[in-house]
Structures are given as structure tokens and as C-alpha cells.
Amino acid sequence: MLALRDVDSFYGSSHVLHQVGLEAKSGEILAVLGRNGVGKTTLLKTIMGLTSSHTGAIEVDGASISEMQTHQRARSGIAYVPQGREIIPDFTIRQNILMGCFARKDGKRAVPELAMELFPYLADNLNRPGGVLSGGQQQQLAIARALAADPRVLLLDEPTEGIQPNIVEEIEAIIVRLNKEVGLTVVLVEQNVGFARQAAQGFVLIEKGRVAEAGPTAELTDDLVQKHMAV
């Protein structure tokens, strides 16, 4: 569903990703792991066309998106939930969700029923400002906004970071449900190795902007985690 081949990515003159190749198969979760600052967030931004420039091939379902602008990549079926969520605090919950609809191909402008089913608190408070929500509720809102785009591929950047523990398990369960029941392909940047092992079918370990290790999750050994993630 999503493939990168020999991708280099830059912020101005800063060369961050080097010859990155990976594949997220249709209907699977691919976990992207590594220490802080190794290029995981840059990887997702590169897929969305949010870095200064990149070279190499990026494909969705076999079609190249490498020359597309960010809004065109979104319309190709990729939704992105960034680190920090980036909801608009003065917009209502409803308005924040509807922002995702601008990436839909069918022109539909409606809060998706799936999001209301997954996030009952949001459904009951659509007219509240997004800025009054807790961190966990804002994460739910960011995922709901992504679902409004009707994506085929969902990019999630550390979706449980900074969230109260009682909400973390709920967010994790929703990610698994979106993959298993809805069939979304998910690229998950995550520091929680336990969750990655539980949820993902494949993994990529990033080290200094390069793919250091990759394979099925069964091959994500404690030795690899210690080598590439221990501080």
C-alpha cells in the first residue's frame, strides 16, 4: 500500500534521511521505532511532503506521489496525525473534525459516524472548543479529524505520548480496531515496544536517519531493541 525506495530527505541543507526504504503492506500496521532524534518524525513528514525537499520514490498502491504537493498526497488517501496533535484550540470539536474533510475525494463534509462511534465523548461535546480538552481527548480529536478524510493509510506519530495512562490503553485499542475492523494500513511511530509487538505485523528500526533493521514483528528481539533504542 505504501512504499519508499531510496528516499533522502532534507530540511534546507540539513540531510536527515538517507536512502530509506520500507513497505507498509495493505491492511497491516508497520511500527517505526528508534531513539529520539533519529528521523522518525521526519519520515512521516517526508511521506506527506512536509520537508524542504526529498529524493527517491514514494508510492501509494503502486502510484507515485513523489512529485505531489501535500494536499494532493492527502487526497491520494494518506491521513497524518502529527506529534503534538495540532488541533485548533478556538475551533469547536465539530469544526476541527470537519477540517479533515477537505482531503476527501467525494466532497462530503460531515462528521464521520465511525469517529462518533469510537469517541463517544467527542460525539457528546461537538460544540465545545478543542482547546479545553485534555491531552488524551485532543488525541482522540486528531484521530477523528484524520478519519474525516476517509483515508486508506494512517500515519500516527507517537499517538500515546504525554497522555494520561487510563487513556493510553483506549487509544491503543482504537488503533488496533481501525486496522483490524476497518482495514486501515497504519504507519505507527512508537516508543512503546510492547504495544508495537502486540499491534504491528512489521517493524522498522531507524538509526541516524537510516533503516538499521526491518522485518516481521516476530523478529523484533530484545537484542535489537537494546542495540537501537536503549539510551
Side-chain angles (χ1 to χ4, degrees), residues 203-219:
F203 77 94
V204 173
L205 276 162
I206 304 292
E207 186 78 57
K208 296 181 180 178
R210 302 178 185 274
V211 174
E213 304 282 350
T217 310
E219 296 177 4

Side-chain angles (χ1 to χ4, degrees), residues 134-203:
S134 69
Q137 290 163 346
Q138 287 188 8
Q139 186 64 63
Q140 293 176 352
L141 179 54
I143 294 173
R145 178 183 60 197
L147 294 177
D150 192 28
R152 294 179 291 163
V153 180
L154 184 61
L155 310 181
L156 296 169
D157 195 353
E158 299 202 26
T160 61
E161 182 187 37
I163 292 177
Q164 54 269 44
N166 62 313
I167 301 294
V168 168
E169 290 186 6
E170 183 180 337
I171 296 290
E172 291 177 344
I174 285 167
I175 293 167
V176 171
R177 184 176 174 186
L178 288 171
N179 172 247
K180 300 294 185 187
E181 297 182 19
V182 183
L184 279 180
T185 301
V186 179
V187 179
L188 173 69
V189 167
E190 185 56 77
Q191 293 285 2
N192 184 337
V193 175
F195 176 53
R197 283 173 167 156
Q198 169 197 337
Q201 288 78 39
F203 77 94

Side-chain angles (χ1 to χ4, degrees), residues 9-216:
S9 191
F10 305 82
Y11 292 115
S13 60
S14 242
H15 192 171
V16 182
L17 297 184
H18 305 264
Q19 295 293 289
V20 169
L22 60 83
E23 181 175 312
K25 296 179 181 178
S26 180
E28 292 190 349
I29 297 177
L30 176 70
V32 179
L33 307 165
R35 298 181 182 91
N36 290 331
V38 298
K40 304 186 300 298
T41 292
T42 298
L43 172 64
L44 299 190
K45 288 187 173 182
T46 301
I47 294 168
M48 292 305 302
L50 294 171
T51 61
S52 301
S53 62
H54 68 77
T55 60
I58 305 176
E59 297 178 352
V60 175
D61 204 15
S64 175
I65 65 168
S66 299
E67 302 302 320
M68 290 183 179
Q69 299 296 315
T70 297
H71 70 279
Q72 295 171 317
R73 297 184 191 211
R75 289 203 167 191
S76 76
I78 308 174
Y80 175 41
V81 179
Q83 190 176 29
R85 302 172 280 274
E86 295 183 12
I87 62 112
I88 298 179
D90 292 336
F91 278 20
T92 65
I93 290 172
R94 185 193 307 275
Q95 289 169 328
N96 270 282
I97 294 173
L98 290 177
M99 287 180 62
C101 294
F102 288 102
R104 294 182 68 102
K105 288 184 177 180
D106 59 11
K108 185 177 180 181
R109 299 288 183 265
V111 175
E113 292 183 10
L114 174 61
M116 298 298 90
E117 177 189 344
L118 291 172
F119 306 117
Y121 177 83
L122 301 184
D124 292 339
N125 294 275
L126 286 171
N127 295 317
R128 294 195 75 192
V132 305
L133 303 181
S134 69
Q137 290 163 346
Q138 287 188 8
Q139 186 64 63
Q140 293 176 352
L141 179 54
I143 294 173
R145 178 183 60 197
L147 294 177
D150 192 28
R152 294 179 291 163
V153 180
L154 184 61
L155 310 181
L156 296 169
D157 195 353
E158 299 202 26
T160 61
E161 182 187 37
I163 292 177
Q164 54 269 44
N166 62 313
I167 301 294
V168 168
E169 290 186 6
E170 183 180 337
I171 296 290
E172 291 177 344
I174 285 167
I175 293 167
V176 171
R177 184 176 174 186
L178 288 171
N179 172 247
K180 300 294 185 187
E181 297 182 19
V182 183
L184 279 180
T185 301
V186 179
V187 179
L188 173 69
V189 167
E190 185 56 77
Q191 293 285 2
N192 184 337
V193 175
F195 176 53
R197 283 173 167 156
Q198 169 197 337
Q201 288 78 39
F203 77 94
V204 173
L205 276 162
I206 304 292
E207 186 78 57
K208 296 181 180 178
R210 302 178 185 274
V211 174
E213 304 282 350

